């Protein structure tokens, strides 16, 4: 049996951007290992940016005592589906962070997180499975973030905010801080449009845009 095999699941934009983060993550922890791309949409095994790219079925049958996979796909429902598949196959979720990611005190981050360059997670924060925080995003004190939440680049998530499962926060959105007794809540599966300025809680499942952010009615 070989040592741990590492892979990035998804070889499109998100995966190719997170591969260098994963490489520096391994180097920082003193592990020398190749990292595969897994992608189910390849006609045949290939090489992408210097890394072997294979299908999940091929990765699954590689011999190793342990396999660790970062799901690098922005669509949170796909992340959930793939995380469940990995779990069934007893393959662990891998978390990676850039060398300049800052994590302060008492931040509990579940498995499968992708913390890109210049991300800051401050103190006393809870974050669920497969969180994606893209370039320059931050999460301020006392936030609670659910599973499969996605931050595009430059999200400003201030203190005492609760973000429920599968919410998507667009590039450069600013979310006003809540208070300990009345956190600002972004509901399950809600979408916050790019550049939105969110000043009050957002119900589950809706899309909000603009400044101040308002619900985008479906036509
Ligand atoms: N993908 C996959 N298996 C799945 C679903 C998606 O391998 O079950 C791959 C898909 O082939 C594509 C990538 O994940 O290469 C998702 O890329 P996309 O451009 O949709 O989004 P992003 O890279 O921005 O997350």
């Amino acid at each position: 049996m070989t040592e741990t095999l590492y892979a990035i699941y998804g070889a499109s934009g998100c995966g190719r951007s997170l591969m260098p983060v994963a490489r520096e993550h391994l180097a920082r922890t003193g592990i020398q290992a190749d990292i595969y791309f897994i992608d189910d949409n390849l006609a045949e095994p290939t090489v992408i940016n210097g890394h072997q790219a294979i299908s999940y079925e091929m990765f699954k049958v590689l011999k190793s005592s342990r396999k660790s996979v970062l799901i690098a796909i922005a669509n949170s429902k796909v992340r959930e589906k793939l995380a469940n598949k990995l779990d069934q196959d007893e393959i662990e979720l891998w978390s990676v962070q850039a060398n300049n990611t800052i994590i302060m005190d008492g931040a509990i981050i579940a498995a499968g997180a992708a913390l890109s360059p210049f991300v800051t997670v401050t103190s006393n924060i809870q974050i669920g499975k497969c969180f994606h925080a893209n370039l320059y995003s931050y999460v301020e004190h006392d936030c609670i973030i659910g599973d499969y939440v996605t931050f595009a680049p430059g999200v400003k998530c201030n203190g005492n905010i609760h973000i429920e499962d599968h919410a998507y926060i667009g590039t450069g959105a600013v979310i006003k801080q809540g208070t300990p007794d009345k956190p600002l809540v972004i509901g399950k599966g809600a979408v916050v449009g790019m550049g939105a300025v969110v000043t009050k809680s957002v119900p589950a499942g809706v899309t909000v845009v603009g400044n101040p952010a308002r619900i985008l009615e479906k036509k």
Side-chain angles (χ1 to χ4, degrees), residues 55 64 78 91 210:
S55 68
S64 174
V78 175
I91 295 175

Side-chain angles (χ1 to χ4, degrees), residues 2-196:
T2 55
E3 295 165 347
T4 306
L5 290 182
Y6 294 92
I8 300 275
Y9 206 141
S12 190
C14 185
R16 283 180 289 108
S17 295
L18 282 168
M19 180 60 88
V21 175
R23 266 200 318 267
E24 69 178 24
H25 183 96
L26 272 194
R28 190 174 60 244
T29 44
I31 297 167
Q32 284 192 322
D34 293 331
I35 308 173
Y36 291 85
F37 276 117
I38 300 170
D39 201 291
D40 298 311
N41 214 16
L42 302 169
E44 55 185 31
T46 184
V47 173
I48 297 174
N49 293 347
H51 293 264
Q52 282 190 64
I54 57 179
S55 68
Y56 181 70
E57 292 312 313
M58 289 182 73
F59 182 77
K60 208 167 81 169
V61 298
L62 293 176
K63 292 272 175 273
S64 174
S65 52
R66 192 170 162 212
K67 293 177 183 169
S68 206
V69 173
L70 172 73
I71 306 171
I73 295 174
N75 183 317
S76 69
K77 292 287 180 192
V78 175
R79 286 210 297 287
E80 182 175 29
K81 180 192 82 177
L82 296 180
N84 290 338
K85 181 169 74 170
L86 293 170
D87 187 47
Q88 273 169 15
D89 293 337
E90 295 178 356
I91 295 175
E92 68 183 26
L93 291 172
W94 187 25
S95 297
V96 307
Q97 68 185 70
N99 284 345
N100 64 5
T101 296
I102 296 171
I103 299 178
M104 298 187 181
D105 293 335
I108 300 165
I109 305 176
L115 306 179
S116 292
F118 304 101
V119 164
T120 301
V121 175
T122 74
S123 296
N124 306 105
I125 286 161
Q126 231 175 285
I127 297 178
K129 261 197 250 180
C130 295
F131 177 53
H132 276 198
N134 215 320
L135 307 169
Y136 292 99
S137 292
Y138 71 73
V139 183
E140 255 284 24
H141 64 89
D142 300 302
C143 285
I144 300 179
I145 294 183
D147 293 331
Y148 308 105
V149 168
T150 310
F151 283 10
V155 168
K156 297 181 191 324
C157 175
N158 291 299
N160 286 300
I161 291 168
H162 292 186
I163 302 186
E164 295 177 354
D165 298 352
H166 289 285
Y168 177 89
I169 318 296
T171 300
V174 182
I175 311 173
K176 187 182 177 187
Q177 71 178 55
T179 59
D181 51 333
K182 195 169 186 282
L184 188 149
V185 179
I186 307 285
K188 187 173 178 177
V191 174
V192 174
M194 67 171 84

